[in-house]
Amino acid sequence: MVSRQTGVNYDPPVSEPRPSRFLPWSFLIVAAVVAASQAPLWTTTFHLDDWPHLFFADRLSPVDALSYGLLGVYFRPAGQLLWWVLFQVFGLSHVAFHLAVSLLCAATAWCLVLTMDRTGLPRTSSTVVTALVAATPVVVLTAAWISNLYT
């Protein structure tokens, strides 16, 4: 590429991928924050709003779970399919439900770290911001109140 001002041939520098030695540490930090903020919730039982989802997860096929509420106001196929899968795998074990949702929250937080890392933000900043987001009451509430998975 030739510069218009100087006429000198100029090739922009090629960015080298950053070494990933801090990524395992950031994963462990974010996972520890998620576990610390959600651990007290792992022994709570299902909430009142969870029982209708469990009722339909017990009686629907996977195709029915995807189309459940299709004509209603609240059509949420991904959330309903997640209810169906969790019920088929764990039954009525509320501890397993909460642990699975906590793992989903940790995976989502890890995706946020990777996204912020890809944008070029410092890894320490992306880890701290993600840890703060993972510990917010909205994220903790989602793990406690499983019906809140739709938000």
Side-chain angles (χ1 to χ4, degrees):
M1 164 187 289
V2 177
S3 171
R4 291 183 185 178
Q5 295 174 347
T6 62
V8 177
N9 189 9
Y10 170 73
D11 289 328
V14 177
S15 62
E16 296 292 325
R18 297 190 295 177
S20 63
R21 69 176 192 264
F22 185 68
L23 284 177
W25 287 106
S26 63
F27 172 73
L28 292 175
I29 291 168
V30 169
V33 167
V34 169
S37 64
Q38 296 182 6
L41 308 171
W42 294 338
T43 57
T44 60
T45 60
F46 292 113
H47 295 281
L48 188 60
D49 290 349
D50 296 336
W51 290 107
H53 295 288
L54 292 167
F55 175 79
F56 287 112
D58 184 31
R59 286 157 177 74
L60 298 177
S61 69
V63 175
D64 293 334
L66 281 173
S67 63
Y68 174 73
L70 183 60
L71 300 176
V73 177
Y74 301 110
F75 174 59
R76 297 174 176 133
Q80 202 60 41
L81 186 62
L82 179 62
W83 269 104
W84 185 85
V85 168
L86 289 176
F87 182 79
Q88 299 305 317
V89 174
F90 301 122
L92 289 176
S93 172
H94 57 86
V95 175
F97 265 79
H98 288 298
L99 286 173
V101 172
S102 293
L103 286 174
L104 285 174
C105 289
T108 304
W110 179 240
C111 288
L112 181 61
V113 168
L114 294 178
T115 301
M116 292 173 69
D117 184 54
R118 278 282 183 96
T119 62
L121 292 171
R123 290 200 173 118
T124 53
S125 299
S126 63
T127 303
V128 168
V129 167
T130 302
L132 290 174
V133 168
T136 59
V138 171
V139 175
V140 175
L141 176 68
T142 299
W145 183 32
I146 302 173
S147 293
N148 200 25
L149 287 173
Y150 300 123
T151 57

